[in-house]
Amino acid sequence: MSLIVQKYGGTSVADLDRIKNVARRVKRDYEQGHKVVVVVSARSGVTNRLVEDAKALNSNPDAREMDMLLTVGEQETIALLAMALHSINVPAVSRTGAQAGILTDDVHTKARIMQISGGDIHTQLDSGKVVIVAGFQGRNKDGEITTLGRGGSDLSAIALAAALKADLCQICTDVDGVYTTDPRIVPDAQKIEQISYEEMLELASLGSKVMQSRAVEFASKFNVIFEVRSSLNNNPGTIVKAEVPSMEDVLVRGVAVDKNQVKVVVRNIPDQPGTAAKVFKAMADSNVNVDMIVQNIGRDGKANLTFTVPTDDAYTAEKAINSTMEAAGVPGVVVLTDRIAKLSVVGIGMRSHSGVASRLFTAFAEAGINLQLIATSEIKISVSIDLSKADEAVRVAHKAFELDKAKK
């Protein structure tokens, strides 16, 4: 007998037929003698609708109240799935994130997990029940409901698998696994059989919609091997695990694109030590993630500071910078540009192979795609481009590295 943690995303529980399908899959594993913990997301579209309702009432809704509102979606799903399992004679019980002992910090809408006790999950499993846990949510030390950010159900599942010492963790979604790029953009994209934590983390943080990046980071930290697979068929998925030597043979593993990016330009700031520190301290204090930083060469004692932030953080970033500059008596103008996308190529093989940047930039030049910003690490190259060129750039990069013939 093994303990399995399965996570089902919003599209996998989108309607009652999909929920019944999940129940049948859980029943199959249950009847094979496994203990099963199921983590679920809100049904597809529910969270977006709740956000729209909130913003229709208040353009900048309170973060605590947003957490109270958004956790409704997952709680609906856990109850419906429990009812579906009961109807096919599988004993099941639902638990909220708080009841599952998921303790977080105090940051509403972007909370970080501090500890997981598991609540009474082991007791319920030992009594023969399937336990269904609401993903994306927990509670802080004061008992306040918190949420883990978009894609937080992935993190809930990985963290529970680590805390419960599960034998297997499956992230069940509407795709067969991790692909070399989005198959909707490049129909010849190939499914990857195995990928390292590092590569998966980069792809997730750079725009791939398959996994939440914090979930991959958590899996790497606690060595939780997991499989990304479809909830709609029984095909093998993609195994995400620690790096093995053979993985270095692949130069580029995948191409990711993030269309939810805003370029922030802080113009005419004093070209002196400490100015950039003030700006990025304001970003850190506001929990805004910053990427692709460039500071122009100063002229006449002034400089421009350019960086990118997620679209959802643009208003917060602008407000925080203006407030900080005003308080410090620092002149400057903040300009936001939202017609950009960030494209990235990722592969641990870049560590031991040269020429990746040359091949990528040559391909873009031949296709007439202009690059605005560039950022690199050991295993990635990211560029910001005009949003209208995003899909074309993905196809160009995918072809440049022959990923349609990728070694899996």
Side-chain angles (χ1 to χ4, degrees):
M1 179 184 293
S2 61
L3 171 55
I4 301 174
V5 173
Q6 296 177 336
K7 177 263 177 176
Y8 291 92
T11 54
S12 299
V13 292
D15 54 37
L16 297 184
D17 286 338
R18 290 282 178 92
I19 290 174
K20 290 177 182 178
N21 173 63
V22 170
R24 288 191 293 268
R25 293 177 69 93
V26 172
K27 181 178 182 178
R28 179 191 63 201
D29 291 325
Y30 177 80
E31 290 185 338
Q32 289 175 356
H34 302 296
K35 294 180 178 181
V36 185
V37 175
V38 183
V39 177
V40 293
S41 300
R43 296 199 285 169
S44 182
V46 169
T47 300
N48 287 340
R49 177 178 58 77
L50 292 172
V51 170
E52 289 170 4
D53 288 347
K55 292 191 173 181
L57 296 171
N58 187 327
S59 61
N60 187 30
D62 180 77
R64 178 193 181 277
E65 300 307 327
M66 285 300 292
D67 278 353
M68 291 291 287
L69 175 67
L70 296 184
T71 50
V72 169
E74 281 71 22
Q75 289 174 212
E76 174 193 47
T77 311
I78 59 175
L80 290 174
L81 180 55
M83 295 172 189
L85 285 165
H86 295 163
S87 72
I88 55 176
N89 300 314
V90 177
V93 61
S94 61
R95 289 289 183 265
T96 65
Q99 289 172 327
I102 299 177
L103 182 68
T104 75
D105 61 17
D106 296 329
V107 180
H108 286 289
T109 74
K110 294 180 181 178
R112 301 188 73 86
I113 294 175
M114 307 300 290
Q115 178 184 337
I116 298 181
S117 69
D120 68 345
I121 290 179
H122 276 302
T123 300
Q124 295 295 336
L125 291 172
D126 290 342
S127 71
K129 294 179 182 177
V130 170
V131 181
I132 309 162
V133 179
F136 173 66
Q137 60 180 254
R139 67 170 181 85
N140 65 22
K141 64 181 183 301
D142 297 321
E144 295 275 0
I145 293 174
T146 56
T147 63
L148 308 177
R150 284 285 185 166
S153 293
D154 291 341
L155 178 55
S156 299
I158 296 291
L160 278 169
L164 299 173
K165 302 188 185 310
D167 300 288
L168 178 64
C169 183
Q170 297 175 325
I171 305 297
C172 303
T173 180
D174 58 346
V175 295
D176 282 347
V178 181
Y179 280 74
T180 49
T181 196
D182 188 339
R184 292 169 296 185
I185 299 175
V186 182
D188 291 335
Q190 301 291 303
K191 185 172 73 174
I192 302 167
E193 292 179 0
Q194 292 189 1
I195 189 169
S196 71
Y197 290 129
E198 282 186 273
E199 291 169 323
M200 189 70 245
L201 179 59
E202 291 285 11
L203 289 173
S205 65
L206 296 169
S208 172
K209 305 300 182 184
V210 176
M211 282 287 295
Q212 189 212 44
S213 58
R214 283 166 57 200
V216 183
E217 184 179 14
F218 198 100
S220 176
K221 181 177 179 179
F222 292 97
N223 197 30
V224 178
I225 298 173
F226 63 94
E227 179 185 18
V228 179
R229 61 180 302 163
S230 174
S231 64
L232 306 177
N233 59 50
N234 295 315
N235 297 337
T238 299
I239 301 295
V240 185
K241 58 190 292 187
E243 178 183 337
V244 297
S246 62
M247 291 179 175
E248 295 183 7
D249 296 337
V250 180
L251 180 60
V252 170
R253 184 73 66 176
V255 180
V257 65
D258 187 350
K259 299 178 182 179
N260 292 307
Q261 290 282 301
V262 170
K263 182 168 67 176
V264 181
V265 182
V266 189
R267 294 179 174 170
N268 299 321
I269 58 176
D271 185 19
Q272 61 187 35
T275 303
K278 289 184 174 68
V279 171
F280 293 117
K281 185 178 187 304
M283 297 296 91
D285 291 345
S286 301
N287 293 298
V288 174
N289 291 323
V290 174
D291 192 15
M292 305 187 76
I293 304 168
V294 174
Q295 181 165 332
N296 296 353
I297 297 174
R299 291 183 179 180
D300 300 323
K302 302 291 184 182
N304 292 343
L305 185 63
T306 304
F307 54 92
T308 59
V309 300
T311 301
D312 289 346
D313 289 337
Y315 171 81
T316 302
E318 182 181 26
K319 183 179 177 181
I321 295 169
N322 283 329
S323 177
T324 297
M325 291 168 60
E326 182 179 344
V330 177
V333 178
V334 181
V335 179
L336 304 181
T337 303
D338 61 359
R339 296 289 301 170
I340 69 164
K342 179 171 65 178
L343 178 141
S344 307
V345 295
V346 175
I348 57 176
M350 291 186 192
R351 289 175 177 155
S352 53
H353 294 77
S354 61
V356 177
S358 174
R359 190 191 300 191
L360 180 65
F361 297 160
T362 298
F364 283 157
E366 292 174 350
I369 297 171
N370 190 45
L371 310 182
Q372 300 180 22
L373 298 170
I374 301 170
T376 64
S377 75
E378 273 193 315
I379 68 167
K380 78 165 183 191
I381 298 174
S382 295
V383 298
S384 68
I385 55 179
D386 188 90
L387 184 61
S388 65
K389 294 283 189 178
D391 287 358
E392 180 187 359
V394 171
R395 289 188 283 268
V396 167
H398 198 268
K399 182 177 180 181
F401 293 101
E402 300 182 330
L403 294 180
D404 55 330
K405 307 168 187 174
K407 176 182 177 181
K408 299 180 182 180

